[in-house]
Amino acid sequence: MIDTGFLLTVFAAELALLTLILLLLVIRSILLALRGPGKRRRIREAEIDLITAIESDRPTSYPFAKLRRSDQVEVIFDLLPNLSGEPKTRLAAVATESGIADWALRWCYSRRWYMRLRGAEVLSVLGQTGPALILLEDDRPEVRMRAVEWASMLPDPAELEMLCLMLGDPDPGVRFTVMDCLLRIGGEVVEPLIRAIEGGTGPEVTAAAMRVASGIGDHRLAELAIRHCRDPRTGVRAAAAAACGSVGGQVAAETLVSLLDDPDQEVRREAVNSLGRMNSWASSPGVARLLGDPEWSVRRAAAVALDGFGPLGSLYLRRVARGDDGPASRVASQALGPPEYRVPT
Amino acid sequence: MIDTVLFVNQWAILVYFLILNTFYAALLVAASRYQRWKLRAGWHQDLQRLLGSRIAPTLSVLAPAYNEQATVSQSVRALLTLQYPNLEVVVINDGSSDDTLDLLTKDFSLEPANAIHTRRLESATVRSIYRSRTFPDLKVVDKENGGKADSLNAGLDIAAGDLVCAIDADTLIEPDALLKMVQPFLLRDDVIATGGTLRVVNGSEVRDGRVVTPRVSGKPLAGCQTVEYLRAFLFGRMGWNLLGGNLIISGAFGLFRREAVLEAGGYMHDSVGEDMELVVRMRRQAIDRDLPHQVISIPDPVAWTEVPESLRTLGRQRDRWHRGLSDVMWRFRGMAFRPRYGAVGTVVVPFFLLVELLGPVVEAVGLLGLGFALLLGAVNWQFALLFFLVAYGYGLLLNMFTLLLADLGERRYPRLADRLRLVMWMVVESLIYRPVTVIWRLKGIWGYLRGKKEWGVMTRRGFDVS
């Protein structure tokens, strides 16, 4: 019924494939076992040589030049991120002289996305300038993310403008990286950020820019944050409320109090958080009202804010804790802590 | 008549194995593509950067502890040293009758805390909440005994992180595990849970709660399970990333979006497969409400677990796992073959139902039927050989490819002896170990049908013995 020839063919094919994989595995294992330690040793020697050369002002680093290109890159990735100041500059110069930077620059224009990524990685670690602006518009999010990090290291005005606009990038990973990098850059991004918000670039950019503004807390952003607290879009209002808490000021506090009655729970929560952050104890009555909010996260934020207001906040908490409103009383009691810790009224 | 039945039955089972192994091959291809992308993208280089980020999501590690006085302080210290910028550790003392709580109080200077929390999930009474004076990111919840699921629910109510990580007390976690596990949440908007690759610790060199040198155990059972874990995590779970997403996140180490878990109602008390039950429920509810529902597995080995080294303990474990699977499949049977649930309903759930759950039944019927058919002359030796080539030879080939794939990843076994040992266990696992597990899995199905609910006792040797 079953042709023996067919059976033997299947058997032979399986056996051949198995033998091939087995051979591959064994050969790879042997090669790794033989070459691995040697490669690691060479890299280690090159690293030690480079460090001592830099420390003793010795001009050449013989083992580094002898390494394969990929191993040289590995050495640079191992050492450079852990150095700063003069040693970092000198090591970057050694790497550049060895031709790594030229290679990396060529990789940035490769047709393969992972080569462009590698190029951007190497150049950013070396602290070199290059086609970051072009890579910021790359098709692949992986490359854009790396280009964002690269551009944020020593950003020129054009790159800063571009980074702020990328807050509306369609890829979540890129958006996260842009926000993270803008926060690391700090005060320098305020003006481009203002231009990005006022340029009418869409609610996503405005909301994300407001989140960055709340992390930077620069007074130049105050007027913009207050204005956007009245934005019709809830996401923007919530982010603007968070930004108000960072920039501070009487007008910001009054605006935040007006947001305590916002129909959106995220906006109410951000407003309470911001008032707490500003230590705006004068807003205690409004914040205490939110201890009875239907949304638990808002009640929690209100309790935390009141707890931070000091004696006046505690007074409100104790009053609500003794009250009949179950959820409000519970969250107030939790904020006051275990009974033995409570100050008697 | 009997001859004909046996003949048709054997051919049907042969075709089943052919389709099954071809599907596994598709999973392997999907896993390879994912692995290739991961290697090219080289995310690991961004990890340290994430460590310094001000906007990384907040994360709470939930660690249930029941009568763990021997190891609790060391475990908590290891958790507190995990690399992550916004980390909170919540230890849940599940009504321990030993000195677990006293030790924690003494070693971490605990004091009663005013943790503001909600009671959204069902759990046994919480007696009190403590916070450490010396480690402000450590909270301890003291509650009445209720089991692991109950403890995790109590922890979920008290945790403040955007993400929560559920762990087993006996899992060894890599220091940068959280940084790796959090990446899918940053890269995609639709992820509700991530799982990492668990590796077998038996035989490895462990020092101060960390795996210093990964080794492959020389003991057959542990060795076969090392291979089994490699296969299950590499192509079993990573492959699903591209084919509809996962249904399982290991209870030993999984990361969840807290709000998604709370929305789903937390862990179920009455399921022995509570970790899988939660994931499937989260996905079903999210799809029903048109919300994000992706569950991603990452190829990086993030945690190490000790596997049973005796047949008796292993049998109990597999029996429980299969009872859990049976329970989950029965609870969510309505999702199978329903296009409304997309790839989850049309591919993932049917696969778990027909292959993972009923696979042992088919395998047992196939092997026994083959014996009878040969005895009665319904099939000839050529058929028997073809059956083994399709069922086990093909499987062995796929296993070998998995080993190649694993070899390209991180934290491979560095010693030549270990790598060769792994190849040896791969053959033993495919041809001997897997058919043997059929017995335990059948026992699990039988136990579920009889309403058996208990977990069974797990005997562990401990990590310090390498």
Side-chain angles (χ1 to χ4, degrees):
Chain A
M1 178 111 175
I2 298 168
D3 182 35
T4 315
F6 166 75
L7 205 57
L8 284 174
T9 312
V10 174
F11 182 70
E14 274 192 9
L15 198 65
L17 268 172
L18 264 178
T19 317
L20 183 71
I21 302 170
L22 261 173
L23 268 176
L24 272 174
L25 276 168
V26 172
I27 291 171
R28 192 178 143 76
S29 299
I30 292 171
L31 283 179
L32 278 174
L34 293 177
R35 284 189 185 168
K39 182 188 163 180
R40 277 194 296 277
R41 196 196 64 239
R42 282 195 299 279
I43 289 178
R44 182 102 182 110
E45 277 174 11
E47 287 179 355
I48 293 167
D49 185 82
L50 269 176
I51 292 294
T52 46
I54 285 164
E55 279 181 352
S56 59
D57 220 9
R58 186 153 50 83
T60 53
S61 50
Y62 177 67
F64 181 75
K66 267 176 63 181
L67 290 177
R68 289 168 55 184
R69 182 73 66 204
S70 58
D71 294 344
Q72 285 182 338
V73 171
E74 200 173 324
V75 169
I76 296 302
F77 272 91
D78 269 357
L79 296 181
L80 263 182
N82 301 312
L83 296 175
S84 59
E86 182 61 18
K88 185 170 188 156
T89 316
R90 294 201 53 201
L91 182 57
V94 170
T96 308
E97 279 162 25
S98 70
I100 290 180
D102 292 338
W103 276 93
L105 196 61
R106 237 172 288 161
W107 293 340
C108 287
Y109 296 100
S110 169
R111 286 169 59 189
R112 296 189 179 95
W113 69 268
Y114 50 90
M115 293 305 287
R116 297 197 297 277
L117 175 69
R118 197 73 177 145
E121 268 173 4
V122 174
L123 288 174
S124 64
V125 168
L126 290 176
Q128 300 253 331
T129 53
L133 209 51
I134 297 171
L135 295 184
L136 285 176
E137 292 183 282
D138 200 278
D139 289 343
R140 299 285 303 203
E142 298 90 339
V143 180
R144 292 204 299 279
M145 280 164 71
R146 177 55 70 176
V148 166
E149 287 176 11
W150 184 17
S152 69
M153 288 169 63
L154 287 165
D156 60 31
E159 285 169 345
L160 274 181
E161 297 287 339
M162 184 71 182
L163 286 179
C164 290
L165 292 177
M166 284 180 78
L167 285 166
D169 193 280
D171 186 82
V174 178
R175 288 200 301 273
F176 175 83
T177 313
V178 172
M179 281 180 79
D180 187 53
C181 288
L182 290 177
L183 285 169
R184 286 172 199 253
I185 295 169
E188 219 181 310
V189 302
V190 172
E191 293 301 332
L193 209 56
I194 292 172
R195 280 195 290 279
I197 296 168
E198 293 194 322
T201 40
E204 294 84 12
V205 175
T206 310
M210 282 294 161
R211 294 277 171 204
V212 176
S214 75
I216 294 171
D218 191 288
H219 67 92
R220 285 172 287 176
L221 291 157
E223 191 269 324
L224 211 56
I226 291 165
R227 191 171 3 123
H228 278 88
C229 282
R230 289 185 287 274
D231 195 282
R233 296 158 298 192
T234 50
V236 175
R237 265 198 330 272
C244 275
S246 301
V247 294
Q250 182 62 30
V251 185
E254 284 166 11
T255 311
L256 286 170
V257 170
S258 74
L259 287 182
L260 295 178
D261 294 317
D262 195 278
D264 185 77
Q265 50 113 345
E266 192 190 348
V267 178
R268 294 198 300 277
R269 188 177 63 234
E270 289 293 358
V272 174
N273 279 336
S274 287
L275 287 167
R277 211 160 54 238
M278 291 164 75
N279 201 15
S280 169
W281 54 266
S283 61
S284 295
V287 174
R289 200 159 26 85
L290 288 190
L291 287 170
D293 194 276
E295 185 59 36
W296 182 77
S297 62
V298 179
R299 293 202 296 276
R300 181 183 190 278
V304 172
L306 286 170
D307 196 33
F309 288 163
L312 183 62
S314 298
L315 194 69
Y316 277 100
L317 281 172
R318 283 198 293 275
R319 194 178 291 167
V320 175
R322 286 197 307 267
D324 300 330
D325 184 351
S329 154
R330 200 155 44 240
V331 78
S333 301
Q334 287 174 354
L336 286 167
E340 64 270 29
Y341 276 62
R342 278 186 212 158
V343 182
T345 50
Chain B
M1 177 65 184
I2 291 176
D3 286 10
T4 315
V5 169
L6 279 172
F7 180 79
V8 172
N9 175 61
Q10 287 313 111
W11 271 102
I13 289 173
L14 182 85
V15 171
Y16 170 88
F17 273 115
L18 188 66
I19 295 171
L20 169 68
N21 280 331
T22 306
F23 192 81
Y24 277 140
L27 277 178
L28 187 60
V29 171
S32 315
R33 283 172 58 96
Y34 191 78
Q35 175 90 313
R36 190 179 65 166
W37 169 78
K38 192 90 175 35
L39 287 170
R40 284 178 171 175
W43 297 118
H44 59 281
Q45 276 157 5
D46 297 327
L47 294 179
Q48 295 310 311
R49 194 177 168 86
L50 181 61
L51 198 53
S53 173
R54 285 160 63 189
I55 51 168
T58 51
L59 195 155
S60 305
V61 175
L62 307 182
Y66 175 68
N67 287 349
E68 307 267 358
Q69 66 174 21
T71 55
V72 72
S73 291
Q74 193 192 353
S75 304
V76 173
R77 275 197 194 94
L79 291 177
L80 287 166
T81 58
L82 288 176
Q83 297 169 5
Y84 195 77
N86 303 319
L87 181 68
E88 170 192 67
V89 175
V90 181
V91 179
I92 306 108
N93 177 42
D94 189 24
S96 297
S97 53
D98 65 357
D99 291 334
T100 299
L101 185 63
D102 292 341
L103 269 168
L104 284 170
T105 307
K106 183 171 146 280
D107 291 350
F108 298 97
S109 311
L110 299 182
E111 61 181 13
N114 57 341
I116 301 168
H117 62 279
T118 176
R119 289 277 293 168
R120 282 170 75 174
L121 302 178
E122 195 188 314
S123 69
T125 309
V126 171
R127 294 175 192 140
S128 46
I129 302 164
Y130 301 88
R131 193 185 288 272
S132 166
R133 270 199 299 270
T134 44
F135 299 91
D137 298 326
L138 172 65
K139 283 178 193 168
V140 175
V141 180
D142 181 34
K143 63 180 274 291
E144 284 168 12
N145 182 259
K148 187 188 167 192
D150 191 81
S151 299
L152 289 171
N153 279 351
L156 277 162
D157 271 342
I158 279 136
D162 301 322
L163 305 174
V164 285
C165 176
I167 62 160
D168 268 354
D170 51 5
T171 305
L172 291 182
I173 302 172
E174 291 278 308
D176 58 357
L178 296 175
L179 293 173
K180 286 175 178 168
M181 295 269 285
V182 96
Q183 299 260 350
F185 288 98
L186 305 178
L187 299 175
R188 294 174 63 159
D189 282 333
D190 59 350
V191 176
I192 54 169
T194 59
T197 298
L198 276 185
R199 287 268 179 96
V200 171
V201 73
N202 302 50
S204 294
E205 194 185 326
V206 178
R207 208 176 298 145
D208 298 328
R210 301 267 184 257
V211 175
V212 184
T213 316
R215 302 286 312 265
V216 178
S217 175
K219 296 180 179 170
L221 269 186
C224 287
Q225 287 175 89
T226 305
V227 167
E228 190 185 24
Y229 272 63
L230 268 183
R231 191 189 57 235
F233 281 96
L234 266 177
F235 82 79
R237 296 200 186 167
M238 239 166 58
W240 284 116
N241 285 349
L242 297 180
L243 295 174
N246 279 274
L247 282 192
I248 303 180
I249 291 290
S250 170
F253 193 54
L255 192 58
F256 300 86
R257 211 175 274 285
R258 188 174 69 102
E259 205 47 48
V261 183
L262 291 174
E263 277 294 315
Y267 287 88
M268 281 284 158
H269 290 70
D270 59 347
S271 174
V272 278
E274 78 285 341
D275 35 12
M276 183 182 183
E277 198 279 336
L278 173 67
V279 174
V280 184
R281 185 154 36 90
M282 280 168 71
R283 294 200 76 173
R284 189 184 67 180
Q285 290 186 4
I287 296 171
D288 284 342
R289 294 175 197 172
D290 248 350
L291 294 170
H293 60 87
Q294 271 305 324
V295 175
I296 298 286
S297 263
I298 61 166
D300 311 76
V302 289
W304 302 76
T305 189
E306 190 190 355
V307 295
E309 287 187 356
S310 78
L311 278 172
R312 198 180 158 82
T313 318
L314 180 64
R316 274 202 295 258
Q317 185 194 53
R318 296 313 157 98
D319 172 2
R320 178 168 58 79
W321 284 7
H322 222 73
R323 269 187 288 130
L325 178 66
S326 310
D327 179 44
V328 174
M329 285 293 109
W330 177 250
R331 282 172 197 252
F332 298 100
R333 60 193 180 280
M335 287 175 83
F337 308 105
R338 293 271 300 274
R340 170 184 162 59
Y341 290 100
V344 180
T346 51
V347 185
V348 189
V349 174
F351 176 86
F352 273 83
L353 189 69
L354 298 175
V355 177
E356 298 289 344
L357 179 65
L358 298 177
V361 179
V362 178
E363 207 166 334
V365 171
L367 286 173
L368 292 173
L370 187 67
F372 280 121
L374 274 173
L375 275 176
L376 298 175
V379 295
N380 54 15
W381 68 268
Q382 284 98 331
F383 179 87
L385 183 58
L386 186 67
F387 188 91
F388 274 99
L389 286 177
V390 170
Y392 297 103
Y394 197 176
L396 180 61
L397 262 179
L398 294 174
N399 265 1
M400 288 296 178
F401 273 117
T402 311
L403 205 53
L404 265 181
L405 188 65
D407 212 41
L408 299 171
E410 269 187 76
R411 291 218 71 170
R412 58 178 82 95
Y413 296 97
R415 298 178 194 211
L416 179 62
D418 285 314
R419 298 157 77 89
L420 296 178
R421 201 179 261 172
L422 207 54
V423 173
M424 180 183 78
W425 292 139
M426 192 61 91
V427 178
V428 176
E429 196 266 350
S430 298
L431 302 179
I432 301 169
Y433 172 85
R434 277 202 85 185
V436 170
T437 62
V438 168
I439 301 165
W440 298 317
R441 289 187 284 158
L442 285 174
K443 220 174 133 191
I445 296 177
W446 180 242
Y448 175 72
L449 292 173
R450 287 178 53 225
K452 190 178 166 190
K453 290 274 183 189
E454 72 265 27
W455 270 57
V457 181
M458 297 299 295
T459 317
R460 295 186 187 275
R461 292 173 68 231
F463 296 124
D464 292 335
V465 187
S466 56

